[in-house]
Amino acid sequence: MREIDGYMTLEASLIIPVLCFLLVLLFSFFFYIMDLGIVSGLVKEAGLHTEDKNQETDLRRDLERRIVLGKVSSVSVSETKEKRKIKVQAEIGVPAAGSVEIFGLRLFKITEQQEFMLPKETEKIRRWSLIE
């Protein structure tokens, strides 16, 4: 094979695009993991600390500001006297979407669902007395 001139150029032209494609997939997976952590953290923060009526819009706005490569599909907050339930769905796009569809991979999807026990009124009053 070494007798033919240009064999290194041919090998490099086959290997370099494959390596670049794998690097794009690897970086998009890292962004997916980062966005997964962001969504989980914001849902926990909203479930534990907020008590206002427009939780859904605030949570959606925070998520849209902080997610790097994706968009928020749905946010739902339901609350009873004892529990608060928050469910968030987001889709993270893959930068090389056209080339990844060959493998059946279209989007990374994030679904975060958490339930929080709400403090009773007596516990709220006890907390207030501890703060004072």
Side-chain angles (χ1 to χ4, degrees), residues 19-60:
L19 290 176
C20 290
F21 175 73
L22 291 175
L23 281 174
V24 167
L25 282 180
L26 184 67
F27 283 125
S28 63
F29 181 70
F30 288 148
F31 281 121
Y32 167 73
I33 296 296
M34 185 176 73
D35 287 343
L36 186 64
I38 289 170
V39 169
S40 179
L42 286 175
V43 167
K44 285 180 186 174
E45 183 179 334
L48 294 174
H49 299 295
T50 59
E51 294 186 12
D52 55 348
K53 297 296 179 188
N54 54 356
Q55 291 176 350
E56 289 183 26
T57 56
D58 291 343
L59 182 58
R60 180 181 289 272

Side-chain angles (χ1 to χ4, degrees), residues 56-130:
E56 289 183 26
T57 56
D58 291 343
L59 182 58
R60 180 181 289 272
R61 187 181 62 238
D62 287 344
L63 285 170
E64 287 174 351
R65 265 192 277 150
R66 294 185 184 172
I67 289 180
V68 176
L69 284 179
K71 63 178 182 173
V72 179
S73 300
S74 67
V75 175
S76 66
V77 177
S78 60
E79 191 169 320
T80 62
K81 290 183 179 181
E82 299 172 354
K83 287 185 182 180
R84 179 181 297 149
K85 185 177 180 181
I86 299 176
K87 183 176 182 180
V88 174
Q89 292 182 340
E91 297 176 347
I92 310 301
V94 178
S99 58
V100 178
E101 287 179 0
I102 297 169
F103 303 111
L105 180 65
R106 296 196 180 169
L107 291 172
F108 293 115
K109 294 188 179 195
I110 297 173
T111 301
E112 184 73 26
Q113 180 175 347
Q114 294 188 16
E115 292 184 5
F116 303 92
M117 297 296 292
L118 296 176
K120 297 178 181 173
E121 295 299 323
T122 55
E123 291 178 20
K124 287 182 184 178
I125 294 171
R126 285 185 191 135
R127 287 184 191 170
W128 293 337
S129 65
L130 288 176

